[in-house]
Amino acid sequence: MPSSSMLLLISLSLVGALRVASFPLSFTFRRANFQRSATAFMADRVFNSADAKGGTDLELSKTAIIFIEYQNEFTSDGGKLHDAVKENMAETGMLEKSATLAGKARNAGVKVFHAPISFAADASDNPNKNLGILAGCAADSLFTAGTWNADFHESMKPAEGDIVVQNKKGLDAFPGTDLEEQLVMNGIETVVLGGFLSNCCVESTMRTAYEKGYNVITLTDCTATTSAEGFKAATEGTYGMFSKPMNSEEFSNLL
């Protein structure tokens, strides 16, 4: 009959063997999880690293210009945010330039998108209503759905064939909306951006489009924000990190 010490050695050997036997299985499981996670991460990108479109030549049929929040709240006398942006708007002439460019883009075969924002009257659909700029939207009842304030400016109303992005509630025009779906359905590779605010919704959307692998152009004189300093920091600073900045005339010459 084996001694107690012998039984202990046998038990330890069996435990060790089980650990060794289970190592390949557990390693394979962890590796499979990592691979699934990597696949999920890549799914957030429209174009993978081999196919990313940044810096490619402009093909008009694969180009979309996205006009962000050209709504009365910003653009028009009586809008709650108009006083905050009207000086910057006047300095660049962004509203007039955007309307002119929209017409020329349509005629050239560029797809025109509009990305308005709106909220329920009780702000129940505001995705972060207790922090930052979205807290201001809730507190001041900005862009309330169904009101004049949330309507498009007369000169920037969607034309036949334009695409209006649905369900924009946050700053970036991608999360929670059909923007990406519409871009993919229309075979878009280059995204061109203008709108409000230069250093908020425009920049947020620019950064995400860049990360998704699009070729991104940002129209410096078709955006506006609340201060000259903020405008300069965006158009002369961060825009060049995530897009090719150009003015409306430079882009128009490509059409």
Side-chain angles (χ1 to χ4, degrees), residues 197-208 233-234 238-239 242:
L197 294 166
S198 311
N199 52 355
C200 185
C201 294
V202 174
E203 183 168 328
S204 297
T205 305
M206 171 192 68
R207 288 172 179 249
T208 299
T238 52
Y239 280 15
F242 308 102

Side-chain angles (χ1 to χ4, degrees), residues 45-110:
R45 303 185 188 277
V46 175
F47 303 100
N48 62 31
S49 56
D51 298 323
K53 303 304 178 183
T56 57
D57 292 335
L58 194 70
E59 292 185 56
L60 299 183
S61 63
K62 298 180 180 180
T63 299
I65 183 165
I66 304 173
F67 292 112
I68 299 173
E69 296 174 19
Y70 285 74
Q71 294 160 269
N72 289 322
E73 200 79 277
F74 277 130
T75 60
S76 307
D77 288 329
K80 295 176 184 177
L81 297 176
H82 183 61
D83 285 347
V85 298
K86 65 181 181 182
E87 184 175 343
N88 197 202
M89 289 177 65
E91 287 172 353
T92 62
M94 61 85 71
L95 188 57
E96 297 79 8
K97 289 176 180 177
S98 296
T100 299
L101 189 59
K104 187 168 184 179
R106 292 182 189 104
N107 292 335
V110 170

